[in-house]
Amino acid sequence: LGTVAFGVSIPVVFHCIWTLGYQTTDSREGLHSLLGCIAYGLYVAKILTVRTDDRPDWAVPVGGAVLGFAMLGVWWTSALVHYAGTST
């Protein structure tokens, strides 16, 4: 299931990175772009960690928590800011 989710995410990443590009017009957009790149890298690392048999016991929960915080940052710099009416 993780492999399918990874495959489905490729068009989203392509659209965000190559079509929209890394934007630094203001600090929020720069942070959103940076966190989006970090979150996707963490997502790929988490999928690879889950599929590895000889991983440490702490790797999956720590990877999930770090990925969750990165995704929270991506959400905070996009949807929350937009719906709060403070978007630029």
Side-chain angles (χ1 to χ4, degrees):
L1 188 59
T3 305
V4 172
F6 176 73
V8 170
S9 71
I10 296 292
V12 176
V13 172
F14 180 80
H15 175 72
C16 286
I17 293 176
W18 279 279
T19 305
L20 298 176
Y22 187 82
Q23 300 194 9
T24 57
T25 307
D26 63 13
S27 59
R28 183 194 62 83
E29 287 178 352
L31 184 60
H32 180 77
S33 294
L34 179 65
L35 285 173
C37 292
I38 290 170
Y40 193 73
L42 289 170
Y43 170 70
V44 171
K46 177 114 173 35
I47 293 298
L48 293 174
T49 302
V50 168
R51 298 182 62 84
T52 303
D53 292 331
D54 58 343
R55 66 182 176 271
D57 292 338
W58 56 265
V60 173
V62 168
V66 172
L67 175 60
F69 281 115
M71 290 303 297
L72 183 65
V74 170
W75 172 76
W76 181 76
T77 57
S78 61
L80 179 64
V81 173
H82 174 73
Y83 288 121
T86 58
S87 63
T88 57

